[in-house]
Amino acid sequence: MSTPPAGSTKKRLLSRNDYLAPLPLPTGEKPQDVLNVIWRKNEVFIDIGNYSIGSAVMVMWPMVMLFLGLAYFFEDPDALVLGACIMVIPIFLLIHGLFREVPLPVRFNRQRREVCVPRDDGEYWIVPWETVTAAATQQSSVSQAGRATMGLLIIGFENPDPQAREDNKHFSLGFNCGGGTTAMALWECVRSYMEVGPQAVPESRVGIAPYEETQIGSIITDLRKGNLLGVFWGVFCITILGTYLAEKLQNLKLSYPPDLPYPDITEWSKPLPPEQWAKRSPELEAAIAEREAELAAQAERELA
């Protein structure tokens, strides 16, 4: 079944799918790396990784604090037992993830307009950029607690080998970012890099950060400046949201993000003379021009 064109949307009672590519048209959203997926960026390529141990900690930590708070304020040890029963599997998965090797990133080469997709057993695919698919999906559920919505950004790749086995024809990355405009902003980190340039997307936040940008360093900086609101917010994030532990575990695994180990890809990743850069297809050129005109007209109507 063919993929719906970029810009189209399918709505159902409790779900919504926004199709973003192919072709990779502007979404109108500003690029935002909400999940720290940009692992490496330069003038030739951008590495997009799908490993966020820090996000898992920040999901689990408030639950742990909730059960600890219930046990303390109500002097009820059963809250600890309940919390242990609920959290044991997520904590086990977190510990398991700490001992796994970090998966290799997908590399988008803007000068060649190709994508290197690492696969199992040392294999990799070279996929044309304009064949990459992307969709923002949202699913809602309704219960006694109200309506809950979850969403993903899904980026898909097709094996260019026409003789590939059925179980080796497709590969996709799923980013748990909530869907909707947030997924579009995350997708724009890739699309804008490929179609606009490195200056259009945020710098990588993966790796060893300057001390002033760490959790403790930023609090001390705010304290020296007399920014008490910033200090209180930093303490809240560390104690209630678990950002300090998330930062340390993320640094443990991604201080030096993995590089692609293929000699051929090392050569493929070297810069080309500008006259050898691949060009947009005429179809994409026309589609982008039409989409940019639509966004400009929309912006004018909003200002009117």
Side-chain angles (χ1 to χ4, degrees), residues 191-213:
R191 195 208 69 83
S192 294
Y193 174 84
M194 294 294 286
E195 297 297 342
V196 182
Q199 74 284 353
V201 303
E203 296 296 328
S204 173
R205 297 196 301 267
V206 169
I208 301 175
Y211 180 72
E212 294 77 11
E213 297 179 9

Side-chain angles (χ1 to χ4, degrees), residues 5 35 38 56 63 73 94 117 134 163 182 222 227 303:
L35 295 180
I38 300 176
M63 295 293 294
F73 288 109
L94 175 66
V117 183
Q163 305 300 322
T182 305
D222 286 336
N227 182 8
L303 291 174

Side-chain angles (χ1 to χ4, degrees), residues 1-5 7-20 135-139:
M1 185 173 64
S2 61
T3 303
S8 61
T9 298
K10 284 188 178 180
K11 293 182 180 179
R12 295 179 180 174
L13 181 62
L14 295 175
S15 68
R16 174 189 174 109
N17 293 335
D18 295 291
Y19 298 97
L20 311 177
T137 70
Q138 283 186 327
Q139 299 285 336

Side-chain angles (χ1 to χ4, degrees), residues 19 88 96 110 128 136 211 214-215 217 226 241 244 268 279 281 303:
Y19 298 97
V88 62
H96 181 261
R110 67 180 302 266
Y211 180 72
T214 64
Q215 293 292 313
L241 301 182
Y244 181 77
W268 177 85
K279 307 296 183 183
S281 67
L303 291 174

Side-chain angles (χ1 to χ4, degrees), residues 48 108 129 155 186-195:
I48 299 297
F108 294 78
W129 158 241
I155 303 177
L186 189 62
W187 165 244
E188 279 293 338
C189 290
V190 179
R191 195 208 69 83
S192 294
Y193 174 84
M194 294 294 286
E195 297 297 342

Side-chain angles (χ1 to χ4, degrees), residues 129-290:
W129 158 241
E130 292 187 20
T131 68
V132 173
T133 63
T137 70
Q138 283 186 327
Q139 299 285 336
S140 298
S141 60
V142 180
S143 65
Q144 292 180 344
R147 184 185 179 104
T149 302
M150 300 178 64
L152 298 171
L153 167 66
I154 301 175
I155 303 177
F157 311 91
E158 300 294 324
N159 191 337
D161 180 5
Q163 305 300 322
R165 301 188 314 271
E166 189 63 34
D167 61 355
N168 194 37
K169 287 186 176 181
H170 314 284
F171 176 71
S172 63
L173 292 173
F175 300 93
N176 191 5
C177 57
T181 57
T182 305
M184 294 180 190
L186 189 62
W187 165 244
E188 279 293 338
C189 290
V190 179
R191 195 208 69 83
S192 294
Y193 174 84
M194 294 294 286
E195 297 297 342
V196 182
Q199 74 284 353
V201 303
E203 296 296 328
S204 173
R205 297 196 301 267
V206 169
I208 301 175
Y211 180 72
E212 294 77 11
E213 297 179 9
T214 64
Q215 293 292 313
I216 300 300
S218 62
I219 291 177
I220 293 176
T221 300
D222 286 336
L223 186 61
R224 288 172 177 169
K225 293 179 179 178
N227 182 8
L228 296 183
L229 183 60
V231 172
F232 288 134
W233 174 249
V235 172
F236 172 82
C237 289
I238 287 175
T239 55
I240 304 301
L241 301 182
T243 54
Y244 181 77
L245 179 60
E247 177 187 74
K248 293 308 175 186
L249 292 182
Q250 193 83 355
N251 287 345
L252 176 66
K253 301 298 290 186
L254 291 176
S255 290
Y256 300 96
D259 202 349
L260 299 185
Y262 319 116
D264 290 347
I265 295 304
T266 301
E267 189 68 25
W268 177 85
S269 301
K270 292 180 179 179
L272 296 173
E275 62 272 14
Q276 295 182 19
W277 290 13
K279 307 296 183 183
R280 290 175 180 168
S281 67
E283 180 185 8
L284 177 59
E285 194 76 55
I288 287 180
E290 181 180 351

